[in-house]
């Protein structure tokens, strides 16, 4: 019952954040985003309590905490235009660290998955480059950093996919769904932040995908 309530509460808060962000970014939007992120952190903690502590659960919880930090930093970038890029980079660095813990969680359950994940990641990275080019993304000096970050997210998803096939692990299958949502969301975020053209509702879709990613990953603890 508690996991359902946490997912529902987070969904409502994330929806309110999206609605608020369409009007204007403010301290309220930062608060709503942070509270929504607290829900998936609490979800991970509750799932760990139900299933017991393991290295997998510990890595996932650390990833969720860095996701919370990244959310707060990225939300703050709209409040101070002069430091917008700094907040963007700091938030991305927090997510990068969180994804390191997610990859460690996957490898804890499927140590050999990374070998098959490398070629899949390279193919997916090529598709991401094509998407960025189609959306006229121009990130300037931070482009190399962005490539490494997107590559990491895709590698996480590929590791989870390979691990799920190798071990028939339901936790890793949920992790793959989370990684897939993450990959789609982050590529859309790059296009929204650095592309020349915007499309209606892209902001809403990328945030929905992002929140689904964190929920899937938190729930994977239940199936470890």
């Amino acid at each position: 019952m508690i996991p359902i309530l946490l997912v529902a509460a987070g969904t409502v808060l994330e929806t309110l954040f999206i609605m608020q962000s369409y009007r204007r970014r403010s301290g309220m939007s930062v608060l709503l985003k942070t509270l929504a992120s607290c829900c998936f952190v609490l979800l991970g903690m509750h799932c760990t309590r139900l299933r017991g502590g393991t290295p997998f659960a510990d890595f996932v919880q650390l990833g969720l905490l860095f996701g919370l930090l990244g959310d707060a930093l990225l939300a703050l970038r709209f409040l101070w235009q002069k430091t917008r890029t700094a907040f963007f980079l700091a938030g991305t660095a927090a997510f990068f660290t969180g994804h390191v813990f997610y990859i460690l969680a996957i490898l804890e359950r499927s140590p050999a998955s990374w070998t098959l994940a490398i070629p899949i990641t390279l193919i997916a990275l090529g598709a991401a480059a094509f998407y960025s080019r189609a959306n006229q993304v121009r990130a300037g000096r931070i482009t190399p950093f962005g490539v490494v970050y997107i590559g990491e997210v895709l590698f996480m998803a590929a590791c989870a996919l390979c691990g799920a096939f190798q071990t028939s692990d339901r936790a890793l299958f949920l992790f793959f769904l989370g990684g897939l949502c993450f990959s789609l969301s982050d590529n859309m975020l790059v296009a929204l932040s650095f592309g020349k053209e915007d499309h209606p509702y892209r902001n809403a879709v990328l945030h929905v995908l992002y929140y689904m990613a964190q929920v899937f990953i938190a729930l994977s603890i239940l199936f470890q």
Side-chain angles (χ1 to χ4, degrees):
M1 185 65 179
I2 293 179
I4 295 174
L5 292 176
L6 288 171
V7 172
T11 301
V12 170
L13 289 166
E14 189 75 10
T15 302
L16 291 174
F17 161 74
I18 293 170
M19 294 171 61
Q20 174 71 23
S21 66
Y22 267 109
R23 290 193 292 270
R24 68 185 182 91
R25 297 299 179 100
S26 63
M28 178 57 68
S29 63
V30 175
L31 177 62
L32 289 169
K33 184 63 172 171
T34 303
L35 289 175
S37 302
C38 286
C39 289
F40 63 65
V41 172
L42 291 173
L43 177 62
M45 293 172 63
H46 181 70
C47 290
T48 300
R49 187 180 69 82
L50 292 176
R51 299 294 294 173
T54 62
F56 174 81
D58 291 341
F59 286 137
V60 170
Q61 287 187 89
L62 286 170
L64 294 171
L65 284 170
F66 275 97
L68 166 61
L69 176 60
D71 276 340
L73 290 169
L74 288 183
L76 285 169
R77 79 187 191 276
F78 292 102
L79 301 186
W80 295 284
Q81 291 298 317
K82 290 184 179 180
T83 55
R84 180 170 179 166
T85 301
F87 275 117
F88 184 86
L89 290 174
T92 305
F95 279 118
F96 186 92
T97 305
H99 290 316
V100 170
F101 287 117
Y102 286 156
I103 292 170
L104 291 174
I106 296 167
L107 296 180
E108 177 68 26
R109 298 189 69 80
S110 180
S113 62
W114 67 273
T115 54
L116 292 175
I118 292 176
I120 296 175
T121 302
L122 293 175
I123 294 171
L125 196 57
F130 179 82
Y131 175 78
S132 295
R133 185 180 181 86
N135 285 275
Q136 299 180 300
V137 171
R138 299 290 185 272
R141 291 179 295 178
I142 68 172
T143 298
F145 182 68
V147 171
V148 172
Y149 173 75
I150 292 297
E152 181 199 32
V153 176
L154 294 172
F155 180 68
M156 177 193 71
C159 281
L161 175 63
C162 294
F165 274 107
Q166 289 175 336
T167 63
S168 300
D169 191 324
R170 291 181 297 171
L172 292 185
F173 178 72
L174 275 178
F175 226 112
F176 165 66
L177 294 179
L180 179 62
C181 290
F182 250 126
S183 301
L184 295 172
S185 175
D186 284 337
N187 277 281
M188 292 178 70
L189 177 61
V190 169
L192 180 66
S193 300
F194 301 106
K196 290 187 177 181
E197 297 182 6
D198 189 18
H199 298 284
Y201 309 116
R202 178 183 282 174
N203 181 66
V205 172
L206 73 89
H207 280 104
V208 169
L209 286 170
Y210 165 75
Y211 203 76
M212 288 172 60
Q214 296 286 34
V215 168
F216 280 135
I217 291 173
L219 289 174
S220 70
I221 298 173
L222 287 177
F223 296 92
Q224 62 176 323

